[in-house]
Amino acid sequence: MASIVAEPAARGRRFGLKPVQWMMLAVIALALGFGGWSLRGSLARTVTIAEAKEASGTVQVFGYLHSKGAYDDHHNWTFDIQGHDGSTLKVVHPTKPGNFEDAISVAATGRFNAEKGVFEAEQLLVKCPSKYQEQEQAGM
């Protein structure tokens, strides 16, 4: 005759884990949560100019330079970019990028300020054509 003997639950264990193991899982969960929270600003999706004007969070918008740019009254670098559909967007950034004069296009990461009607860029990625012309001549 077979008998079923239930093992008594280990003292202080829940789901087979010791309290120390639960604390380690909590620390790992907190670290993952903090890491995700820290990366939220760097995970920007790329949108068109029209979508950037409607977006509520941080986005990245790509465009060709439509103006040479200038510093405004608040000492911010202001310039216009033009999208593939011909629409333009005024971009504001605290500083002028070093190779801005040679640039043909810009990828700006930031938020659209509807009250001011400008895209407030936190980061600018300036595409310089001379780098790519050298690669084309070398046959790359």
Side-chain angles (χ1 to χ4, degrees):
M1 175 173 188
S3 65
I4 299 175
V5 177
E7 291 184 26
R11 185 174 179 185
R13 289 187 174 200
R14 302 259 183 213
F15 301 107
L17 296 177
K18 296 177 183 176
V20 171
Q21 293 169 323
W22 280 108
M23 290 187 338
M24 292 173 62
L25 284 175
V27 168
I28 290 171
L30 285 172
L32 289 174
F34 181 73
W37 179 78
S38 298
L39 292 175
R40 75 184 192 290
S42 62
L43 300 175
R45 59 188 172 99
T46 302
V47 298
T48 64
I49 289 177
E51 292 170 340
K53 291 179 179 178
E54 300 294 325
S56 61
T58 301
V59 294
Q60 183 180 41
V61 62
F62 175 81
Y64 296 97
L65 286 179
H66 189 66
S67 68
K68 296 286 185 184
Y71 282 102
D72 63 7
D73 297 337
H74 302 288
H75 305 289
N76 290 320
W77 184 248
T78 305
F79 59 97
D80 296 322
I81 59 173
Q82 183 176 19
H84 294 289
D85 60 351
S87 61
T88 60
L89 179 68
K90 183 175 287 297
V91 179
V92 176
H93 188 261
T95 58
K96 178 183 175 182
N99 56 350
F100 192 82
E101 289 84 14
D102 299 330
I104 58 170
S105 60
V106 172
T109 304
R111 296 171 184 247
F112 184 74
N113 186 333
E115 293 178 11
K116 296 178 182 177
V118 297
F119 186 82
E120 297 173 337
E122 299 165 359
Q123 294 178 341
L124 291 178
L125 179 61
V126 178
K127 187 173 180 181
C128 181
S130 62
K131 176 183 175 185
Y132 302 102
Q133 289 172 351
E134 291 174 4
Q135 290 179 351
E136 288 176 6
Q137 291 174 355
M140 298 177 119

